[in-house]
Amino acid sequence: MKYLSICSISFLNLISISMTCFFCSLYFLLNNLVYFIEWEVVSLNSMSITMTFLFDWMSLLFMSFVLMISSLVIFYSKEYMSGDVNINRFIMLVLMFVLSMMLLIISPNLVSILLGWDGLGLVSYCLVIYFQNIKSYNAGMLTALSNRIGDVALLLAIAWMLNYGSWNYIFYLEVMQNEFEMMLIGSLVMLAAMTKSAQIPFSSWLPAAMAAPTPVSALVHSSTLVTAGVYLLIRFNILLSNSWMGQFLLLLSGLTMFMAGLGANFEFDLKKIIALSTLSQLGLMMSILSMGFYKLAMFHLLTHALFKALLFMCAGAIIHNMNNSQDIRLMGGLSIHMPLTSACFNVSNLALCGMPFLAGFYSKDMILEIVMISNINMFSFFLYFFSTGLTVCYSFRLVYYSMTGDLNCSSLNVLNDEGWVMLRGMMGLLVMSIIGGSMLNWLIFPVPYMICLPFFLKLLTLFVCIFGGLFGYLISVSNLYTINKSMILYNLTNFMGSMWFMPYISTYGVIFYPLNYGQIVSKSFDQGWSEYFGGQHLYQKLLNYSQTLFLIHNNNLKIYLMLFVFWILILVNFLLFL
Amino acid sequence: MLKLIFFLVFLLPLCFINNMFWMVQVLLFFISFLFLLMNNFMNYWMNISYFLGCDMLSYGLVLLSLWICSLMLMASESVYKYNNYKNLFLLNVVMLLLLLVLTFSSMSLFMFYLFFESSLIPTLFLILGWGYQPERLQAGIYLLFYTLLVSLPMLIGIFYLMNKMGTMNFYLMNNFMFNYDLLYFCLVCAFLVKMPMFLVHLWLPKAHVEAPVSGSMILAGIMLKLGGYGMLRVLSILQMMNLKYSFIWISISLVGGVLVSFVCLRQTDLKALIAYSSVAHMGIVLAGLLTMSYWGLCGSYSLMIAHGLCSSGLFCLANVSYERLGSRSLLINKGLLNFMPAMALWWFLLSSANMAAPPTLNLLGEISLLNSIVSWSWVSMIMLSLLSFFSAAYTLYLYSFSQHGKIFSGVYSFSSGKIREYLLMLLHWLPLNMLIMKSDMCLLWL
């Protein structure tokens, strides 16, 4: 290539900013530094709308991770999107997306966070509808509108923050946490976070957003869009602990985790399985956050970002080789045909399952052990551990379908493992998926958590994982004579496999009324009553009256005579009574 | 102010010279920059001469009129190219601009009324003369009579005021307060129709659909703001009455805004969709303005300016498509992204401004209005959230239906975007996003 491509330039830029952020973060962490930069846009009635930037170790670390992942994803897209005519537009959109995420991360102000928040929503919309087909159109609309609910909630929260005289919420959270207004703001912010992080009533957009190109999925699902909600709530964590909001969120996020884990076991679309697994992990982050352990949520958010981005990148490489087919039933034996990609795939999958000493283990195991020593009810406990089992279950099912056995795709398909640019992008994250967990563990928790558990509880996580993996492998094994088990309880399968009908509810379920009302309003207001009491009726009336008046002008003798008589009568009347 | 007026008056003969189209346009830009540099950023009347003067509120709206009118000429290249009575067109636009400048800079209520009404006439000519379909006659009548029906009572109201106060000066008027219901309705209704409030908005979609691009731009950009401007002026003497009656208008415009948003979702006509979205947005402006809180008054001014630029830009884009495809139907305006990718960027940027995405002025206005309306009554949160949500819904519908998907198969060939069109879009978008940096200029007028 004669010129440096946009991908390489962006890669170099992003990775260098990422490194800078990382070392700044270390410096800030060591010295307990926080920088708070504020620019006043306008001040009205002693309320100032400000653009606020907060640099602390958490935001810098998060930024460095986001930038690192996005740089590698852009590097990867150089090959993945190489056949695309509009690759420049694509990369620019991705850069805008990363920029929005940066702005979101560093804004601790409810007004200035909108810049990043709305930016994420809008650019993600453009990225989801990047491919020109009906499916991506619908998915984009679902994504954008689900996220818009969150935007509206944030706008209303802004209106309520007027009570406190500033939108820098960090000053007010602790002092005002028991006030009704602050609870209201908190619940609106929670609503916003739930839409962005696809918690239960709003989950359906996340698998739908898989219509985006795979590098975008890798970015969106690992560290950017979906984690924005978690990150916002981490900033708002004071409001969650010890209030009904935390309990409510615990329930919903636990259910999200469970629902997504269950759904992934019934799914055959490679990207959708990974999307559902993201959803399940988001549920995990949200639930531990709602119990008050915001550092753990942040920890899992970061480690998850690493291996999930890798998982998506592997999926992209596989999809390329499978002639753009995403159906896992057509895969098989990939570990023979694409050994390096498969290795990455397996590492990230195992990290997701919490395989000891990979990235996911440190955060996930810690979360589960904290859950065990915390004071929570049986139901939430069940949701946590069953979902953990389900995660391993669908991961091993995925491994069974794609990695083992024989290739089930078209026999004319040639697989190769020589997408070197893509592989190089993956290698960077492979290293991070292995060492990232322990590295962050040492960084974030200088003082370890004290965990004291009986032997069997300590083994519970391990047991659940092993059992889940075994189960996932065994139920997937099928041969010609196997009874299709999912057909036996078809209704139940249908329910669990379709995310508890949420995609139907949030599309067909809600679209009818607005459109129908639109028709009714259009027919009976705009072209109905408003016209009747407005222009048209007035016009008709005037027409009728002037037609009546025309009678006089007909030169009819009788009418003239009649009018003459009337006139005489009036005159006589006047004469008599005056 | 007189230099502005003189400039515009002496621009009128220039319109009759052939091939002076772009000259007039450039001169209009020139005068807008000249006016920009008059820098009257104070909260009192400045540049007073005879009955003309300019405070912050007038300043912004005069500037907006100058800007939009110069952009109107830029957008109507087809009038020049096909020689569609271009001299008369120019005359009409400059005349309209002159009247608008006089309207916004009149310090006297009566003069304001006079120019307010007379600005209807060039607008009517624009629609009747350069519109497209025969239905434009009806649209013109609607435009004229909806406004006239309620503005004649206002004239009576003004006479009454003159009789009582002995002055028509806005500044001196502030010393008076009238608790007279009939007067309130006389004065306010004219502006409600002009805004337009839901239920009396019928003239707006009709006029927009039938108007040429310049007509749509001036309608959405300036004419709707006349209502808001007038309301801001007369409310000062009607505060007590407004406390009594404002809930009616606020409720109607909030509920109406939501209903109109539903209507937007059913539109297949680009221009009708944008027109209805204007009704929804001006509904929020009206509601915020009538709460009479500081936030509301400032926010309504800010959103008026923002909406003027943004919806005018969207109408330009609709015209760009119309000139190429010969239709405004969303069933034909499809998949334009593949043919005009750079124009799709402008579609996206202006659409996102329309749904109040940061860092546009629309967001600033919307936030201030939300603040004022929620402070007025928390129940309005329901309607506000629906309004805000559906504004995104129909704007995305507009954007993605026109830009995404398959191209209409009946289309034969057309040119891609021209530099003039890109410049046109840039000049709409740039102030919208840059003014936020100096937002006290378009927020703090009071």
Side-chain angles (χ1 to χ4, degrees):
Chain A
M1 193 174 281
K2 198 173 165 189
Y3 304 105
L4 210 55
S5 79
I6 186 169
C7 302
S8 313
I9 300 169
S10 317
F11 164 73
L12 285 173
N13 274 321
L14 291 183
I15 197 84
S16 45
I17 306 172
S18 158
M19 284 299 117
T20 318
C21 284
F22 184 68
F23 288 114
C24 281
S25 151
L26 291 186
Y27 183 74
F28 278 43
L29 187 61
L30 271 179
N31 296 320
N32 253 337
L33 268 181
V34 177
Y35 279 161
F36 197 84
I37 301 170
E38 207 174 62
W39 173 58
E40 186 181 280
V41 180
V42 66
S43 162
L44 180 63
N45 249 3
S46 84
M47 296 278 294
S48 37
I49 296 179
T50 52
M51 188 77 216
T52 314
F53 295 135
L54 173 70
F55 294 97
D56 59 354
W57 68 266
M58 209 200 270
S59 61
L60 282 167
L61 190 67
F62 193 19
M63 260 161 73
S64 84
F65 269 71
V66 170
L67 284 167
M68 188 194 67
I69 291 170
S70 49
S71 70
L72 289 171
V73 164
I74 285 175
F75 188 74
Y76 169 92
S77 334
K78 188 180 172 184
E79 185 173 346
Y80 190 85
M81 302 297 285
S82 58
D84 202 294
V85 190
N86 297 317
I87 186 163
N88 283 8
R89 167 152 61 92
F90 177 74
I91 298 295
M92 275 185 247
L93 281 173
V94 171
L95 288 176
M96 290 299 288
F97 195 62
V98 177
L99 178 70
S100 307
M101 191 65 201
M102 296 298 101
L103 288 170
L104 181 100
I105 291 171
I106 54 178
S107 293
N109 181 304
L110 218 45
V111 174
S112 67
I113 205 170
L114 277 177
L115 189 58
W117 188 270
D118 275 13
L120 276 182
L122 288 171
V123 183
S124 71
Y125 176 70
C126 283
L127 286 169
V128 173
I129 65 164
Y130 183 76
F131 291 137
Q132 306 273 320
N133 55 44
I134 303 272
K135 200 180 162 213
S136 72
Y137 175 89
N138 290 338
M141 202 51 112
L142 181 58
T143 307
L145 291 185
S146 303
N147 282 322
R148 182 68 188 176
I149 297 174
D151 298 353
V152 172
L154 269 191
L155 283 174
L156 290 178
I158 286 173
W160 278 96
M161 276 297 276
L162 200 68
N163 282 314
Y164 298 115
S166 161
W167 284 287
N168 284 335
Y169 53 81
I170 42 170
F171 299 137
Y172 305 102
L173 288 180
E174 198 138 17
V175 189
M176 302 290 182
Q177 59 173 320
N178 294 322
E179 273 201 1
F180 172 73
E181 283 81 10
M182 198 36 117
M183 302 268 270
L184 196 65
I185 293 167
S187 38
L188 286 168
V189 168
M190 195 174 87
L191 179 67
M194 275 162 58
T195 58
K196 254 318 183 241
S197 291
Q199 298 303 299
I200 244 179
F202 312 107
S203 300
S204 53
W205 70 264
L206 197 119
M210 286 295 106
T214 310
V216 176
S217 310
L219 201 55
V220 163
H221 283 239
S222 61
S223 53
T224 46
L225 183 63
V226 292
T227 54
V230 180
Y231 186 73
L232 185 68
L233 276 190
I234 287 174
R235 292 281 183 204
F236 271 85
N237 73 80
I238 298 168
L239 291 184
L240 286 180
S241 47
N242 306 322
S243 77
W244 65 270
M245 281 184 272
Q247 294 167 11
F248 185 65
L249 188 63
L250 179 61
L251 176 66
L252 281 186
S253 53
L255 284 174
T256 309
M257 180 163 59
F258 180 59
M259 176 275 295
L262 212 53
N265 276 299
F266 290 95
E267 193 57 63
F268 284 108
D269 185 315
L270 176 60
K271 279 178 80 179
K272 272 199 177 165
I273 293 175
I274 309 178
L276 286 169
S277 108
T278 308
L279 192 53
S280 162
Q281 298 305 308
L282 282 172
L284 184 64
M285 289 172 220
M286 277 289 195
S287 51
I288 194 69
L289 178 60
S290 58
M291 286 167 64
F293 300 95
Y294 72 97
K295 268 192 172 179
L296 281 179
M298 190 69 201
F299 183 27
H300 193 57
L301 195 154
L302 293 175
T303 53
H304 170 255
L306 295 171
F307 58 73
K308 192 47 68 72
L310 178 59
L311 199 55
F312 266 111
M313 284 155 93
C314 297
I318 292 171
I319 290 165
H320 249 204
N321 273 302
M322 298 302 295
N323 258 341
N324 298 329
S325 153
Q326 305 184 2
D327 198 322
I328 56 168
R329 285 169 295 193
L330 300 182
M331 295 165 191
L334 291 181
S335 57
I336 301 162
H337 303 286
M338 311 173 64
L340 203 50
T341 309
S342 303
C344 296
F345 192 77
N346 283 334
V347 166
S348 50
N349 244 337
L350 286 174
L352 172 70
C353 295
M355 169 88 176
F357 313 118
L358 294 182
F361 164 75
Y362 290 93
S363 52
K364 208 168 169 181
D365 199 55
M366 179 124 73
I367 288 175
L368 290 175
E369 285 178 352
I370 291 287
V371 166
M372 277 189 272
I373 59 167
S374 293
N375 199 3
I376 66 167
N377 60 28
M378 202 57 213
F379 184 62
S380 301
F381 193 81
F382 165 77
L383 287 180
Y384 269 112
F385 281 88
F386 204 77
S387 310
T388 310
L390 284 174
T391 303
V392 189
C393 186
Y394 64 70
S395 298
F396 274 77
R397 173 172 170 271
L398 184 56
V399 168
Y400 172 79
Y401 270 100
S402 56
M403 296 296 147
T404 63
D406 304 315
L407 184 65
N408 298 319
C409 196
S410 150
S411 47
L412 281 174
N413 196 21
V414 180
L415 295 145
N416 67 65
D417 202 9
E418 289 173 8
W420 293 118
V421 179
M422 289 203 278
L423 275 175
R424 239 178 287 164
M426 276 146 45
M427 282 307 132
L429 279 177
L430 177 68
V431 175
M432 288 305 286
S433 314
I434 295 170
I435 64 163
S438 56
M439 187 185 83
L440 281 172
N441 197 11
W442 289 325
L443 274 180
I444 302 182
F445 305 105
V447 182
Y449 271 93
M450 165 69 199
I451 294 169
C452 178
L453 285 174
F455 180 66
F456 286 111
L457 271 185
K458 186 81 185 166
L459 278 189
L460 181 62
T461 317
L462 202 60
F463 172 74
V464 160
C465 286
I466 291 170
F467 185 73
L470 204 62
F471 197 67
Y473 209 84
L474 288 180
I475 56 165
S476 312
V477 173
S478 61
N479 54 43
L480 206 52
Y481 308 105
T482 318
I483 301 164
N484 189 343
K485 291 153 200 134
S486 62
M487 294 302 277
I488 298 171
L489 289 169
Y490 182 71
N491 286 337
L492 198 61
T493 311
N494 196 9
F495 174 68
M496 294 190 294
S498 62
M499 299 174 70
W500 300 358
F501 300 145
M502 248 181 299
Y504 305 111
I505 294 168
S506 52
T507 51
Y508 299 113
V510 292
I511 198 59
F512 175 74
Y513 289 104
L515 285 182
N516 193 34
Y517 286 148
Q519 190 189 16
I520 292 171
V521 173
S522 185
K523 280 254 153 40
S524 56
F525 270 88
D526 259 57
Q527 289 154 20
W529 290 108
S530 301
E531 287 280 16
Y532 186 80
F533 287 115
Q536 287 301 323
H537 192 62
L538 203 64
Y539 173 66
Q540 279 301 329
K541 277 287 173 227
L542 288 176
L543 211 64
N544 288 344
Y545 291 149
S546 71
Q547 262 171 0
T548 320
L549 281 177
F550 256 100
L551 269 180
I552 300 166
H553 300 276
N554 272 346
N555 288 338
N556 194 326
L557 191 64
K558 281 182 196 168
I559 293 176
Y560 278 126
L561 213 55
M562 184 89 143
L563 284 175
F564 183 68
V565 170
F566 273 127
W567 182 235
I568 294 294
L569 278 178
I570 291 168
L571 279 183
V572 169
N573 213 13
F574 264 99
L575 286 175
L576 284 181
F577 290 97
L578 275 174
Chain B
M1 295 310 296
L2 219 51
K3 64 183 164 210
L4 191 65
I5 306 297
F6 269 111
F7 195 107
L8 291 174
V9 168
F10 288 118
L11 214 53
L12 291 173
L14 201 64
C15 301
F16 288 106
I17 307 172
N18 278 332
N19 294 326
M20 276 291 160
F21 194 85
W22 298 124
M23 187 66 196
V24 173
Q25 197 252 334
V26 167
L27 284 172
L28 283 187
F29 266 123
F30 177 70
I31 186 71
S32 19
F33 285 115
L34 211 63
F35 188 70
L36 190 66
L37 294 176
M38 276 162 69
N39 278 339
N40 36 356
F41 301 143
M42 297 298 166
N43 285 333
Y44 43 80
W45 292 90
M46 300 176 78
N47 299 319
I48 300 174
S49 52
Y50 198 38
F51 66 93
L52 300 172
C54 192
D55 69 348
M56 210 43 223
L57 180 62
S58 315
Y59 178 76
L61 288 164
V62 170
L63 194 55
L64 184 69
S65 324
L66 291 167
W67 194 251
I68 294 288
C69 281
S70 10
L71 293 181
M72 267 162 73
L73 293 183
M74 202 188 241
S76 335
E77 194 215 14
S78 63
V79 171
Y80 172 71
K81 202 166 144 195
Y82 303 117
N83 197 6
N84 187 5
Y85 299 100
K86 58 187 180 198
N87 294 348
L88 288 178
F89 178 77
L90 273 183
L91 181 71
N92 205 354
V93 171
V94 177
M95 199 68 204
L96 180 54
L97 176 58
L98 180 63
L99 289 172
L100 285 172
V101 169
L102 284 167
T103 315
F104 287 127
S105 54
S106 291
M107 281 172 66
S108 138
L109 183 59
F110 177 73
M111 283 304 184
F112 165 73
Y113 174 82
L114 184 70
F115 295 121
F116 172 77
E117 290 304 320
S118 49
S119 65
L120 264 182
I121 297 164
T123 318
L124 183 70
F125 287 164
L126 263 184
I127 295 173
L128 294 188
W130 287 270
Y132 304 112
Q133 289 106 350
E135 284 83 12
R136 64 180 188 268
L137 295 177
Q138 198 201 18
I141 301 287
Y142 262 71
L143 165 74
L144 203 61
F145 278 91
Y146 262 82
T147 319
L148 280 186
L149 183 72
V150 282
S151 54
L152 291 177
M154 187 186 164
L155 184 62
I156 310 291
I158 290 173
F159 288 155
Y160 175 83
L161 280 180
M162 179 64 192
N163 213 8
K164 288 284 168 195
M165 301 191 296
T167 177
M168 288 273 91
N169 193 308
F170 284 134
Y171 184 71
L172 298 174
M173 250 165 62
N174 288 342
N175 301 328
F176 293 86
M177 189 83 75
F178 286 87
N179 290 341
Y180 183 12
D181 303 56
L182 201 56
L183 179 70
Y184 176 75
F185 285 106
C186 278
L187 287 182
V188 161
C189 279
F191 300 127
L192 289 180
V193 172
K194 199 77 181 175
M195 277 292 273
M197 188 178 67
F198 182 68
L199 293 180
V200 284
H201 66 279
L202 290 186
W203 62 272
L204 185 75
K206 281 198 172 60
H208 269 307
V209 168
E210 298 307 328
V213 57
S214 48
S216 293
M217 285 169 74
I218 197 78
L219 273 173
I222 314 293
M223 300 306 271
L224 304 188
K225 280 72 205 173
L226 280 173
Y229 174 80
M231 192 77 94
L232 289 171
R233 289 287 183 217
V234 300
L235 267 190
S236 64
I237 55 166
L238 297 166
Q239 287 169 24
M240 296 322 258
M241 279 292 102
N242 194 49
L243 286 180
K244 191 166 157 192
Y245 288 115
S246 67
F247 78 97
I248 303 173
W249 317 126
I250 297 179
S251 317
I252 291 178
S253 24
L254 285 180
V255 176
V258 176
L259 293 180
V260 161
S261 309
F262 287 149
V263 174
C264 281
L265 289 173
R266 295 289 291 211
Q267 293 300 321
T268 50
D269 187 325
L270 280 178
K271 271 189 156 180
L273 206 166
I274 306 167
Y276 275 112
S277 91
S278 299
V279 178
H281 283 110
M282 293 310 280
I284 316 180
V285 171
L286 185 60
L289 191 157
L290 286 172
T291 58
M292 291 199 304
S293 63
Y294 195 49
W295 275 102
L297 294 174
C298 291
S300 60
Y301 172 53
S302 177
L303 194 59
M304 278 198 297
I305 300 225
H307 179 260
L309 289 164
C310 157
S311 64
S312 159
L314 280 172
F315 277 118
C316 284
L317 281 169
N319 184 57
V320 166
S321 303
Y322 178 76
E323 279 176 354
R324 286 170 174 72
L325 295 159
S327 169
R328 291 188 313 261
S329 169
L330 274 171
L331 301 175
I332 292 175
N333 283 285
K334 286 193 308 178
L336 294 176
L337 178 70
N338 298 316
F339 281 80
M340 304 165 77
M343 202 54 88
L345 172 68
W346 290 112
W347 269 100
F348 185 74
L349 289 175
L350 283 163
S351 301
S352 55
N354 199 37
M355 59 173 116
T360 53
L361 210 50
N362 297 57
L363 180 73
L364 181 71
E366 203 151 293
I367 284 178
S368 329
L369 292 172
L370 276 176
N371 286 342
S372 69
I373 300 171
V374 174
S375 319
W376 180 73
S377 160
W378 65 269
V379 184
S380 53
M381 272 168 74
I382 304 164
M383 285 302 155
L384 282 174
S385 53
L386 286 174
L387 254 175
S388 195
F389 178 75
F390 282 110
S391 83
Y394 60 71
T395 316
L396 284 178
Y397 160 64
L398 169 70
Y399 167 74
S400 53
F401 225 85
S402 60
Q403 303 303 311
H404 187 260
K406 265 187 205 149
I407 189 99
F408 173 57
S409 55
V411 89
Y412 184 59
S413 73
F414 59 75
S415 68
S416 188
K418 296 173 188 156
I419 300 292
R420 173 186 62 87
E421 284 155 352
Y422 293 127
L423 180 61
L424 181 63
M425 293 340 295
L426 179 78
L427 292 178
H428 276 112
W429 180 80
L430 208 61
L432 204 55
N433 282 263
M434 286 301 137
L435 280 177
I436 198 85
M437 299 285 176
K438 182 70 185 154
S439 39
D440 36 353
M441 200 179 112
C442 32
L443 191 70
L444 307 175
W445 66 272
L446 200 59

